[in-house]
Amino acid sequence: MRVIICGAGRVGQGIAQRLARENHNITMIDEDASLIDKVQTDLDVRGVVGHAGHPEVLQGAGAETCDMIIAVTYYDEINMVICQVADTIFSVPTKIARIRAQAYLDRRWRQLFSREGIMIDMVISPEVEVGEAILQRFRTPGALMSVNFGRGEVRLIALEVPEDSPLLDTALDQIAGLFPDLRARIVGIKRGGRLFAPRGNDRLQPADTAYVSVLESHASRLNSIFNRPENEMRRVVIIGGGNVGLYVARKLEKQKNVRVRVVEADATQADKAVSELERTIVINGDGLSRPILEEAGVPSADLVIAITHDDRTNMLICKLSKQMGAARALALINSPELNSLSRDLDIDAVLDPKALTVSRILMKMRRGRILALQSLEDGAAEIAEGVTLDTSPLIGKPLGYDDLPEGITAAAILRDNEVLFPGPGVTPRANDHVLLFYEEGMTKKVEQFFRVSQDFF
């Protein structure tokens, strides 16, 4: 696909890096010449210096022949204008915009982004998506990551395999027999830096990361089987009172028995947090200061969430918090290079906001009836929820570990109000929602499962 990305900041660069790996033709626009020089040097993209809202700049970037435009500049209003110009003048088929201000996203104004309003096909709100991802981790404290599919019935959870796990040395296709009442399935394994879709005779090893699809109501039992019991989260400290911090605090303070404290270094932003939150205590101070962390209650905290604007600061806050006695710590980290250091620093979970944004965009780029998608481990694998049309090669075929092409694992089938996990006699029907975990190189084959054509193998 020919894609124009407007905005060469951190989000734009993350999107470009991932899409370039899939051999899409990428052009980036930014007014900052130094940023354009950087992306042209570091990434396999073409760069254009200029204001992306101006028609002549978009024309110079190839808008007349592009398939998709992604507007992720810092300003919502400019992103809206870019999409409108791209539609009105250049008839760009797919237009995606980052919108940060919650005022634009209020359900009362849903007609704003429609055929009768501003022509935007997909709105990305990173703050909301990151906030929801943090809340997912809050609900599954023993997990390295957690994401829901369907209407929330199925959850994909990443869990580290401890040395005393009862699942060790058991072939994956035998686990269901050991725990017949557990509605779950191991669909991916990360071992030694490699994430792969397992076969039936594969076995978990200590220090593996297991990606498991599980019925929402069985998630707690799954944690206990992995010897990672979930302790109730009552005391939460959020370091960073920006848009994401406020979003998470608003949600958490509505829950009974949850006490939230927010630490924010900027006095103006701290005042804003005080005015917008009801039961949350807000502390104006440095999140790397021991006295400030003690005042916030970090030594007795069940969870510390570090979501400042700096990756390194977030990592150090988590390390310091764990040293002071916090039970668990979660860090917001944009850089994959720093992400790999999290285990050495005793950080329990990390969250990559770029992965959330890229996942939404990839869903729009994938061919076939794909309804939801999550990119995993910086693109090493994906899990997608797709609809099996009448001609899908999946219909009527078993979904065991060794039934699908190598590199693909079936996670679950969502049929009406029922959730089915692969097993004897379980085969997809037309219009089922099928969850598939697949390695990076298997994307095109997975797309064929959810397309009308039967050309597959």
Side-chain angles (χ1 to χ4, degrees), residues 1-5 15-16 18-26 67-70 94-96 122 124 357-370 373 382 438 443-444 447 451:
M1 293 181 68
R2 295 184 177 88
V3 181
I4 296 176
I5 300 175
I15 296 169
R18 179 63 198 280
L19 298 188
R21 276 169 44 188
E22 297 195 1
N23 298 318
H24 296 288
N25 187 333
I26 309 296
D67 303 296
M68 176 182 290
I69 192 161
I70 304 171
T94 304
K95 301 157 289 293
I96 299 174
M122 176 184 284
I124 297 172
T357 301
V358 168
S359 295
R360 292 286 311 281
I361 292 171
L362 289 176
M363 184 181 71
K364 203 70 175 176
M365 301 182 79
R366 295 289 180 250
R367 300 180 185 276
R369 290 282 306 280
I370 292 179
L373 182 148
E382 295 176 359
Y438 51 97
T443 299
K444 293 188 181 301
E447 288 177 333
R451 294 178 68 183

Side-chain angles (χ1 to χ4, degrees), residues 14-15 17-19 21-22 137 145-147 149 156 158 195 211 339 351-363 366 370 372-385 436-440 443:
I15 296 169
Q17 184 178 38
R18 179 63 198 280
L19 298 188
R21 276 169 44 188
E22 297 195 1
R137 307 292 175 86
M145 71 147 286
S146 175
V147 59
F149 288 91
L156 179 73
L195 178 59
Y211 284 83
N339 195 328
L351 189 63
D352 179 1
K354 294 197 309 296
L356 301 173
T357 301
V358 168
S359 295
R360 292 286 311 281
I361 292 171
L362 289 176
M363 184 181 71
R366 295 289 180 250
I370 292 179
L373 182 148
Q374 180 65 46
S375 177
L376 306 169
E377 301 287 351
D378 196 30
E382 295 176 359
I383 183 167
E385 176 185 346
L436 294 179
F437 174 100
Y438 51 97
E439 298 171 18
E440 183 177 16
T443 299

